[in-house]
Amino acid sequence: MYKIPANTVFMGKNLVFVPECHSTNDLALQLCQQRTASEGTVIITANQTAGRGQRGNTWHVAPGKNLTFSCIVKPTFLAIKDQFHLNVVSALALYDYLVEKTTASIRIKWPNDVMVNNKKIAGILIENQLQGNSFASAVIGIGLNMNQEAFSINTATSLYQISNQVYDLNAEFECILHKLEARFLQLKGGKRNTLLADYLSVMYWRHELHTFVANDQTFNGTIVGLDDLGRLRITTPEGERVFGMKEIQYQATGY
Ligand code: BTN
């Protein structure tokens, strides 16, 4: 169903399509463990039956209507403490793709949810394989809602809902792989400052006063940016606070 992209150097050149699987991340992780996968190997399925999300959540979408795939990269040039840059790369790649599809407001909700009109259109699950103190490989799992008409939760959306168009999944997939490769090569080429500036410029809720929850406590604050480890910096009336990935939640607004 999916064809090898013509416009990439390595991303997707080894393309594995499985009509159905539990989780493309699981399949990609297996390949990494067997050490057989070349960099840029991509696993894609039409029906993921046990998709995994961040914080132990599930990722469940209608079969055949969306993009669910996992890309294997080998960021051996990256220190483990800098792993957040893979989130930046992946989220920006989806941003780059979406910005060409819609004039609606697209934002990256830290660390790497992609939001359109305040609703989540894409989720990313990155899983790393380390070798000693460095990266062996990383699996970038992406779920992007494309042609799904309706969702059981009102916090999710799709490109179809935004534009009322049905998309050719194969053509769009090729385009996304190209964007992902371009952002990854930017990271490999040492353009971290550019990547971070791009990320910050489209960050959801940045410079706005909002409500968050941490340690079962609700507080108001304003996202001001990230620290060196990619943690979220929030100014509050009590001073600046810094949060790692599983330490904070955004309080839902009434949409
Ligand atoms: C999240 O927002 O919680 C992350 C969702 C990531 C879902 C994708 S779909 C393809 C890949 N395979 C998985 O099992 N999960 C990721």
Side-chain angles (χ1 to χ4, degrees):
M1 176 180 174
Y2 290 94
K3 61 178 198 301
I4 292 172
N7 60 355
T8 61
V9 179
F10 66 94
M11 197 66 80
K13 291 298 183 192
N14 181 25
L15 186 63
V16 183
F17 169 67
V18 284
E20 182 177 301
C21 69
H22 288 133
S23 157
T24 55
N25 262 38
D26 288 349
L27 292 182
L29 286 167
Q30 275 169 25
L31 290 183
C32 290
Q33 272 150 20
Q34 292 159 7
R35 295 178 194 277
T36 48
S38 54
E39 180 161 47
T41 295
V42 177
I43 325 287
I44 182 161
T45 188
N47 186 15
Q48 185 170 250
T49 55
R52 295 189 289 108
Q54 294 172 47
R55 304 171 190 240
N57 289 330
T58 54
W59 184 260
H60 182 70
V61 286
K65 302 235 165 191
N66 302 291
L67 288 170
T68 44
F69 60 99
S70 301
C71 307
I72 297 174
V73 290
K74 303 200 175 177
T76 47
F77 55 87
L78 199 64
I80 293 168
K81 70 172 178 50
D82 294 331
Q83 57 186 270
F84 180 73
H85 291 277
L86 289 178
N87 296 71
V88 171
V89 158
S90 320
L92 278 176
L94 293 180
Y95 176 88
D96 295 342
Y97 164 73
L98 289 167
V99 86
E100 289 178 2
K101 297 286 152 191
T102 174
T103 54
S105 162
I106 309 162
R107 288 286 175 266
I108 298 172
K109 184 176 170 187
W110 176 90
N112 54 13
D113 287 350
V114 186
M115 313 291 287
V116 178
N117 290 339
N118 283 310
K119 294 189 178 195
K120 182 162 165 174
I121 194 166
I124 300 169
L125 178 66
I126 301 179
E127 298 184 289
N128 302 323
Q129 293 78 51
L130 307 178
Q131 203 168 34
N133 287 329
S134 31
F135 268 101
S137 52
V139 170
I140 302 174
I142 295 178
L144 175 60
N145 300 334
M146 298 293 297
N147 293 329
Q148 189 162 334
E149 296 94 351
F151 293 87
S152 56
I153 46 171
N154 72 351
T155 50
T157 192
S158 64
L159 259 188
Y160 174 83
Q161 281 195 343
I162 290 152
S163 63
N164 224 15
Q165 278 182 50
V166 174
Y167 293 84
D168 172 352
L169 293 182
N170 187 31
E172 303 309 311
F173 177 56
E174 187 168 353
C175 184
I176 293 161
L177 291 185
H178 182 246
K179 302 288 188 202
L180 184 61
E181 180 178 274
R183 287 294 187 176
F184 184 77
L185 290 178
Q186 236 183 337
L187 179 63
K188 198 171 182 177
K191 299 277 186 289
R192 290 186 188 188
N193 290 344
T194 309
L195 284 162
L196 271 179
D198 288 352
Y199 182 96
L200 290 174
S201 72
V202 295
M203 203 174 170
Y204 188 67
W205 282 11
R206 184 164 174 243
H207 294 326
E208 297 170 20
L209 183 64
H210 284 285
T211 306
F212 301 87
V213 184
N215 296 322
D216 292 327
Q217 285 183 339
T218 299
F219 65 96
N220 293 324
T222 303
I223 295 173
V224 286
L226 303 176
D227 74 359
D228 288 348
L229 297 175
R231 294 179 302 190
L232 194 64
R233 292 172 45 218
I234 299 184
T235 54
T236 73
E238 290 77 42
E240 186 171 306
R241 298 176 66 181
V242 177
F243 297 92
M245 283 198 199
K246 292 178 186 156
E247 296 170 357
I248 186 169
Q249 280 179 301
Y250 292 51
Q251 177 92 308
T253 45
Y255 53 80

